[in-house]
Amino acid sequence: MPGRIVVLPEELTNQIAAGEVVERPASIVKELIENSLDAGATEITLEIADGCRSLKLTDNGSGIAKEDCALAFARFATSKIYRFEDIYLVKSFGFRGEALPSIASISRVEMTTRLKESAIGTRVVVEAGTVKSIEDAGCPTGTSIKVTDIFASVPVRRKFLKTDAVEQGHCLEATERLALAHPEVRFKMVASGREVLNIPASKEFRQRIGLVLGAELSSQLLPLDLKREGLHIWGFATRPEYTRANSKGIYIYVNRRYIRDSFLNHAVMTAYRSLIDQKRYPSAVLFIDISSADVDVNVHPAKMEVRFRNPREMYGAVVEALAVSLTGAAAVPQRETPGSYHLPSRGEYLGRVEDALRRYTIHEGKGKLFFPQAQQTRRPDVPSLFAEAPRTEEIPSESFSFTSLSYLGQALGTYLIFSHPRGIILLDQHAAHERVLFEKLRKGTTPGRHVAAQRLLMPEVINVSARQLAVIVELIAPLEETGLEIEPFGGDAIVVKSMPAMLSHLDPKRLVTDLLEDLSEDELPDPTKRRDAMLASLACRGAVKANHDLSEQEVHTLCRDLDEAPFSSTCPHGRPLYIILEEAVLEKMFKRR
Ligand code: ADP
Ligand code: MG
């Protein structure tokens, strides 16, 4: 039964607003850093503790006057806009006046702040959204905000928090996104007493990208720069030789604000199409400076999404900006890496835009970005393929061993064909090999067993981002059981000392960076699932690819290994390894029955 209509008390409205603004500790980090940047800070230090349930942000920005301190925690109180029109001209990150009250409504906040011109500062304590005290305090210029008991009063939210490592990863990511766009500011982050990020101020964007995303990547960057009336697209994108396993390396900023926009991500991919393999992704840090009349930043509570007045034009401009720089790259001969890719002409590129736009509309809404061809080649499941066919006689997989089948040959570069007394068996060579490697690697992680490792003659040093470093530190022990021995090497470097012998044909650097990307994609707090994801990633990278000829000897070895592997009917990702075309199905297809 609905009751009477009441106006909700402010404490409750703040908690409701907090639901939109503060999704997790990293959202608090984002809002606080943005406030510091708006206050003109050049030094920003973030400390997190207690599995991200406490954090403290210190800046050397403008500070807040004592008489404004209480207002800062009131809803819709801001110093950044005074009229509605201002939100379209706003150059600051904030303007909604929602962050501080939202944060304070779900935690305890203690703020100390001092204006440069004041001799004395102010300390404010806010509990459950209510200002408890405001008093004079001695403190340095700038603002320090300590947020503790995050979500303590909102148990539902607290329950949704992931492991410390995952939440910390999100905080680091939020900080990195802001650090990328503000090279003039020094950023420091300390997690549980350990310094995980310390980026000095730099004049150069390229240098900043190197410090945040790793020196490895920054050596592969091409600058880009496209100017139109009211629009400037600039930044850096990787050479086609450098690719990654996911689209997380694509950073897009509109008027220096990091945004998530799958449409523009797709534009980036379109520019690289045919230059890089399907399902590989470039990295890019793209800044779009656009006149404020052409973009609305007030469409998302955390301002992570924006609306362009003309999205198609933006799409085209992004492709063109990248195309110009990628085709320019071709003019410089690459002696070290000859590169087998075909560089299309500019005209070809631009013609692609319309085409891609058309296809994008069809595939829009998919969480992950794939080129459409990649989607078409996805393997259909067995049941859907033969849904209508009668399955009168099943051949149970226990009833045969792969070594006992007679091998007929390979089709489409991918499927191994075998004859069985009661039908034909098609085996997916990549999925099968993947399963075999997965089982072998998994054996190594059971107590007392180790997978044979091969020492590298030259240990391979890899520069990784702070986030990747955090992921790898957790994995050192389980990886060693598979034969992949990695150690921190100081700063942002790690060193690979040995490889699993069965994967020794792979490039250690690529294997490790791909692994890190696979693992940072999903949040897997359960250690067993995390271990399996790690093994699946290694197995996938090591397995023979499609379109690779296998000798009869290799096929035989694969069959023997498969017979020894448990669960040999699906690959580690759960796709089928083989399908059986039963005699009855064939007869029905040939209309013999
Ligand atoms: P908004 O950023 O949308 O204005 P917030 O709730 O984030 O709203 O902050 C409210 C006000 O508090 C800001 O407008 C600003 O005047 C002040 N403020 C917040 N953080 C800082 C800071 N680190 N340094 C100086 N002023 C700050
Ligand atoms: Mg703000």
Side-chain angles (χ1 to χ4, degrees):
M1 264 292 256
R4 301 265 313 277
I5 297 177
V6 295
V7 174
L8 296 175
E10 183 171 311
E11 189 189 334
L12 193 51
T13 54
N14 282 339
Q15 282 191 345
I16 292 171
E20 293 182 324
V21 180
V22 186
E23 190 192 341
R24 59 188 345 148
S27 342
I28 301 179
V29 168
K30 168 184 176 286
E31 295 294 337
L32 294 182
I33 296 181
E34 288 186 349
N35 279 345
S36 299
L37 292 170
D38 283 345
T42 54
E43 309 235 334
I44 294 178
T45 302
L46 169 68
E47 292 158 76
I48 59 180
D50 225 0
C52 291
R53 271 110 177 134
S54 310
L55 51 92
K56 183 173 166 194
L57 196 112
T58 307
D59 71 41
N60 65 348
S62 65
I64 305 176
K66 185 174 186 183
E67 54 275 22
D68 283 346
C69 280
L71 261 185
F73 289 92
R75 190 121 178 262
F76 304 129
T78 179
S79 57
K80 298 169 194 174
I81 58 169
Y82 298 104
R83 299 169 307 163
F84 180 71
E85 299 81 68
D86 291 347
I87 73 168
Y88 294 102
L89 304 171
V90 73
K91 294 266 185 293
S92 56
F93 284 108
F95 57 77
R96 294 166 61 115
E98 276 184 319
L100 290 185
S102 297
I103 294 167
S105 74
I106 50 94
S107 64
R108 178 183 190 277
V109 177
E110 189 180 323
M111 175 172 91
T112 55
T113 182
R114 179 160 76 86
L115 299 172
K116 204 175 0 180
E117 52 277 18
S118 314
I120 190 96
T122 313
R123 170 180 294 110
V124 188
V125 176
V126 190
E127 277 171 16
T130 315
V131 178
K132 292 283 169 188
S133 64
I134 301 185
E135 58 195 22
D136 287 346
C139 59
T141 334
T143 305
S144 172
I145 299 190
K146 193 166 148 196
V147 187
T148 50
D149 301 337
I150 296 172
F151 293 138
S153 57
V154 200
V156 240
R157 283 275 157 156
R158 198 173 181 128
K159 245 187 10 225
F160 280 109
L161 288 183
K162 299 281 169 49
T163 60
D164 298 2
V166 169
E167 293 302 334
Q168 187 181 314
H170 283 289
C171 291
L172 190 54
E173 221 168 57
T175 310
E176 287 175 346
R177 286 171 184 161
L178 287 153
L180 277 174
H182 297 275
E184 70 286 359
V185 178
R186 175 185 199 102
F187 281 87
K188 229 169 106 170
M189 176 170 165
V190 177
S192 315
R194 201 169 65 88
E195 188 176 279
V196 291
L197 203 72
N198 190 349
I199 313 175
S202 42
K203 288 205 184 69
E204 261 261 311
F205 274 87
R206 185 193 281 267
Q207 192 187 2
R208 172 55 56 107
I209 295 172
L211 288 169
V212 177
L213 302 179
E216 206 69 48
L217 181 138
S218 77
S219 66
Q220 295 291 333
L221 292 175
L222 296 168
L224 45 115
D225 193 47
L226 179 101
K227 282 201 181 99
R228 285 279 161 75
E229 166 131 38
L231 174 69
H232 186 195
I233 300 180
W234 57 283
F236 294 89
T238 42
R239 294 177 178 281
E241 299 89 348
Y242 179 96
T243 59
R244 339 179 358 150
N246 59 38
S247 64
K248 285 205 166 169
I250 303 174
Y251 294 81
I252 299 178
Y253 296 82
V254 172
N255 295 345
R256 236 35 104 70
R257 194 187 288 284
Y258 172 85
I259 57 151
R260 276 191 304 237
D261 189 321
S262 53
F263 193 54
L264 291 186
N265 263 19
H266 193 271
V268 174
M269 301 292 289
T270 296
Y272 279 87
R273 220 177 105 215
S274 84
L275 300 190
I276 61 181
D277 284 350
Q278 281 176 25
K279 296 200 193 173
R280 298 291 302 177
Y281 300 80
S283 284
V285 180
L286 283 192
F287 294 101
I288 299 174
D289 294 342
I290 182 170
S291 99
S292 45
D294 290 332
V295 62
D296 188 349
V297 291
N298 190 32
V299 293
H300 185 259
K303 308 185 211 73
M304 287 283 247
E305 285 160 24
V306 297
R307 189 179 295 141
F308 295 107
R309 201 156 60 97
N310 193 338
R312 285 174 156 252
E313 205 173 280
M314 282 306 305
Y315 187 105
V318 167
V319 180
E320 187 178 344
L322 284 157
V324 171
S325 126
L326 287 167
T327 43
V332 187
Q334 285 273 296
R335 249 177 296 122
E336 329 82 275
T337 38
S340 56
Y341 52 85
H342 150 77
L343 271 171
S345 70
R346 259 188 81 178
E348 243 180 282
Y349 254 127
L350 302 180
R352 229 179 242 178
V353 175
E354 264 310 300
D355 184 39
L357 274 169
R358 207 181 53 246
R359 271 177 291 115
Y360 180 81
T361 354
I362 302 170
H363 294 280
E364 200 173 9
K366 296 274 184 311
K368 241 185 150 184
L369 278 179
F370 276 130
F371 294 134
Q373 308 94 288
Q375 290 190 335
Q376 280 157 16
T377 55
R378 238 181 42 205
R379 220 172 289 111
D381 295 339
V382 193
S384 64
L385 189 60
F386 294 110
E388 287 131 56
R391 297 187 65 92
T392 44
E393 271 183 301
E394 294 251 331
I395 309 177
S397 58
E398 314 82 65
S399 75
F400 68 89
S401 65
F402 280 96
T403 31
S404 69
L405 302 173
S406 48
Y407 175 57
L408 302 178
Q410 187 200 46
L412 303 170
T414 303
Y415 305 104
L416 308 179
I417 309 170
F418 298 88
S419 138
H420 182 277
R422 276 149 55 196
I424 294 169
I425 292 178
L426 300 176
L427 180 69
D428 178 329
Q429 64 187 38
H430 172 73
H433 195 209
E434 208 177 345
R435 165 57 71 189
V436 164
L437 289 178
F438 179 83
E439 293 303 337
K440 286 187 175 175
L441 290 166
R442 179 151 71 178
K443 245 189 204 162
T445 62
T446 52
R449 311 276 306 242
H450 269 274
V451 175
Q454 184 164 321
R455 298 232 127 244
L456 296 180
L457 286 176
M458 291 282 288
E460 178 98 38
V461 177
I462 308 177
N463 290 95
V464 294
S465 70
R467 177 162 167 78
Q468 290 175 322
L469 192 64
V471 174
I472 204 85
V473 165
E474 292 231 316
L475 290 177
I476 286 182
L479 279 174
E480 193 173 343
E481 291 170 347
T482 71
L484 186 57
E485 196 188 333
I486 297 179
E487 279 173 16
F489 200 58
D492 61 351
I494 54 171
V495 59
V496 183
K497 296 185 141 178
S498 73
M499 292 273 280
M502 68 187 96
L503 302 180
S504 62
H505 57 288
L506 298 176
D507 172 32
K509 193 177 275 179
R510 174 126 181 205
L511 180 71
V512 171
T513 45
D514 283 355
L515 172 73
L516 284 170
E517 284 175 13
D518 286 350
L519 293 178
S520 53
E521 211 165 58
D522 305 307
E523 292 169 1
L524 297 169
D526 173 6
T528 318
K529 284 202 184 121
R530 206 161 53 223
R531 186 204 61 176
D532 281 359
M534 171 190 102
L535 299 178
S537 166
L538 292 176
C540 179
R541 306 292 162 193
V544 283
K545 298 280 172 287
N547 297 317
H548 179 87
D549 283 336
L550 288 188
S551 68
E552 289 219 12
Q553 181 54 44
E554 286 170 316
V555 172
H556 182 76
T557 310
L558 181 61
C559 288
R560 200 196 51 214
D561 288 342
L562 264 183
D563 287 340
E564 284 167 11
F567 315 112
S568 52
S569 66
T570 58
C571 79
H573 301 110
R575 293 191 303 260
L577 297 190
Y578 60 89
I579 58 174
I580 302 170
L581 287 173
E582 289 153 42
E583 194 177 7
V585 173
L586 291 170
E587 284 184 337
K588 168 107 183 176
M589 285 174 145
F590 284 106
K591 308 231 181 285
R592 305 181 103 204
R593 291 220 302 207

